[in-house]
Amino acid sequence: MADLLQQPSTDEIARILRILDCDDATGTSRQELALILDGIEQARVTPGEIKIVLQADAVAAILNVPADRLNAERLCFATAFQFRKRGVEMKLVVAHTEQKAVDQVLIRNIARAHRYHDAVKEGFTIDEIAARENLSRTRIVQLIDLAFLAPAVLQSIIWGEQPVGLTSEWLQRNDLPIDWRAQRRLIAAL
């Protein structure tokens, strides 16, 4: 959803990642599902295609941004589908032809990194955060580093356009430079 904003800042992307971060088993609460369903302006089913148009005001409210900051092109999307008969039941099969390789684990870790970084800014120590999260101090430090990714790198991760080798595991094993240009060069070489 972070790609719904026009030229989002790093802070806006991080905030949206925190909004979308979900630690429960299902990934989405009933309240969040209702909120998402309320955000649908139109859903049109035609032979072989589902087209969904989102309400700008509802999406802006979910993301807590002005509606004019939204990328209007991302408010409408379509996907192919087909019906498959299985015995007496009919199954809807949604195509994944244009699906990008969005790394949900990496996105969740970046959201956590921003949450931990915010806690440090609020005065909590790394040890306090580690105890609260039931993680090692080393793991918290590794994750906090993800809060300093260049905006262009962060955007490519959200859109699923990052290099295949850019994973949470790779980021844990490799130190990224603080300079955003150097980060982009290093990551582009993967």
Side-chain angles (χ1 to χ4, degrees):
M1 262 190 154
D3 63 340
L4 286 169
L5 287 184
Q6 296 179 30
Q7 300 177 342
S9 70
T10 305
D11 290 338
E12 288 174 321
I13 292 171
R15 187 176 49 74
I16 290 168
L17 288 172
R18 283 192 301 274
I19 290 169
L20 300 177
D21 186 30
C22 204
D23 291 334
D24 66 344
T26 62
T28 307
S29 71
R30 288 178 191 254
Q31 188 176 21
E32 290 168 322
L33 283 174
L35 192 61
I36 291 167
L37 290 174
D38 287 343
I40 296 175
E41 182 175 311
Q42 180 183 45
R44 183 179 301 160
V45 180
T46 57
E49 183 181 68
I50 298 172
K51 183 177 182 179
I52 297 176
V53 179
L54 300 174
Q55 293 178 7
D57 291 337
V59 173
I62 291 168
L63 301 180
N64 196 23
V65 297
D68 63 349
R69 290 285 323 284
L70 296 176
N71 181 353
E73 293 175 10
R74 298 288 185 170
L75 293 175
C76 179
F77 55 93
T79 188
F81 78 93
Q82 60 181 305
F83 284 113
R84 292 220 176 120
K85 196 165 183 167
R86 263 178 64 182
V88 293
E89 66 183 43
M90 189 75 78
K91 184 176 180 181
L92 177 69
V93 180
V94 178
H96 295 286
T97 53
E98 294 184 26
Q99 186 176 8
K100 296 178 181 177
V102 176
D103 187 340
Q104 295 299 329
V105 171
L106 180 54
I107 290 173
R108 268 194 307 276
N109 283 337
I110 292 168
R112 287 184 182 112
H114 282 276
R115 195 171 66 229
Y116 301 158
H117 182 253
D118 289 345
V120 169
K121 289 191 299 188
E122 292 170 7
F124 291 93
T125 67
I126 299 292
D127 290 327
E128 289 170 334
I129 297 167
R132 183 182 72 208
E133 297 291 324
N134 198 24
L135 294 172
S136 71
R137 183 180 206 290
T138 305
R139 180 69 176 142
I140 297 295
V141 171
Q142 286 174 335
L143 285 172
I144 283 181
D145 285 347
L146 297 179
F148 302 100
L149 288 171
V153 172
L154 190 53
Q155 194 168 40
S156 72
I157 292 168
I158 290 167
W159 289 349
E161 296 173 349
Q162 77 276 11
V164 175
L166 183 61
T167 63
S168 286
E169 186 177 320
W170 186 89
L171 288 166
Q172 288 173 32
R173 287 182 283 136
N174 297 278
D175 288 329
L176 278 181
I178 293 174
D179 178 67
W180 288 345
R181 280 189 211 158
Q183 276 185 27
R184 289 191 303 268
R185 280 192 303 272
L186 177 64
I187 289 169
L190 290 177

